[in-house]
Amino acid sequence: MLSSVTRHLASRARLGARCFSDVSDRFEAAQTKLNTLTEDPGNMAKLKIYGLFKQANVGPCNIPKPGGFNFVAKAKFDAWKGLGDMSQDQAKEGYIAFVDDLAAGEAA
């Protein structure tokens, strides 16, 4: 009985690792795809990409709010902070979907 439980847990651990690897692999592929786009997606899209990327790699925003006269840093902070407690995997999935949408729009 113990060996069947051990096998089951080992199987679930491999499945979890495969899922993690799949999301990470697709996230890396999306980063590569983003670098191949020929059209500028615009500042709002770039901020969304930045926020999702930071959330995916670091987690929830953990830096102090920048000063009011540093407009670029404040915009980046707001894009990241606005994602709240979104999980890193959710951020990766969002990043992947957004880059895919950008690439599809460019191909049309």
Side-chain angles (χ1 to χ4, degrees):
M1 176 70 176
L2 183 59
S3 65
S4 67
V5 170
T6 304
R7 280 195 306 271
H8 175 72
L9 291 174
S11 172
R12 298 219 8 130
R14 281 192 302 275
L15 178 61
R18 192 174 329 132
C19 290
F20 174 75
S21 176
D22 180 49
V23 171
S24 294
D25 290 346
R26 291 185 300 119
F27 181 65
E28 288 180 23
Q31 291 174 56
T32 302
K33 184 187 289 187
L34 180 66
N35 290 327
T36 65
L37 297 180
T38 56
E39 296 176 20
D40 185 343
N43 288 337
M44 296 307 291
K46 289 176 186 177
L47 287 170
K48 183 172 182 174
I49 290 165
Y50 173 84
L52 289 167
F53 182 85
K54 291 295 280 187
Q55 191 86 3
N57 285 297
V58 178
C61 185
N62 59 2
I63 61 171
K65 186 174 184 175
F69 291 108
N70 192 343
F71 301 113
V72 173
K74 182 162 180 336
K76 288 180 172 183
F77 173 86
D78 290 342
W80 183 14
K81 183 77 170 177
L83 297 175
D85 290 329
M86 177 186 286
S87 76
Q88 289 180 281
D89 282 344
Q90 287 174 318
K92 286 179 183 179
E93 292 290 354
Y95 183 97
I96 293 162
F98 191 65
V99 170
D100 285 346
D101 288 347
L102 289 174
E106 194 171 272

